[in-house]
Amino acid sequence: MRIRIDGTRAEIVDALFRLRLHFTVYAVSRAYPDRAHPHHWRIYLTTRPRENR
C-alpha cells in the first residue's frame, strides 16, 4: 500500500511515528516541498498492515 503524508516537518514526523504502530513501513521517499504551502512538505510511504500476533 502506498500512503502520502502532507504537512509541516513536525506533522510528518508525528504521523510517521503513529503509522509505524499499525503498519510495517518498507520505504520512505525523500521530502518534497509543497508548491502551494511554503512550509509544508510531502513524503510517500510503502507499507503493509502489521499482522496481529
Side-chain angles (χ1 to χ4, degrees):
M1 171 183 337
R2 204 164 139 107
I3 298 173
R4 175 181 165 166
I5 303 175
D6 294 37
T8 64
R9 286 190 184 265
E11 291 170 335
I12 289 172
V13 168
D14 183 55
L16 187 55
F17 176 77
R18 292 170 187 263
L19 283 169
R20 284 187 167 159
L21 296 175
H22 302 285
F23 295 90
T24 300
V25 178
Y26 293 103
V28 179
S29 73
R30 69 179 182 89
Y32 296 95
D34 188 344
R35 292 183 205 122
H37 301 96
H39 299 289
H40 283 214
W41 299 83
R42 68 184 182 276
I43 64 170
Y44 298 91
L45 310 173
T46 303
T47 65
R48 173 175 284 158
R50 287 192 182 270
E51 295 181 14
N52 293 335
R53 293 182 179 178

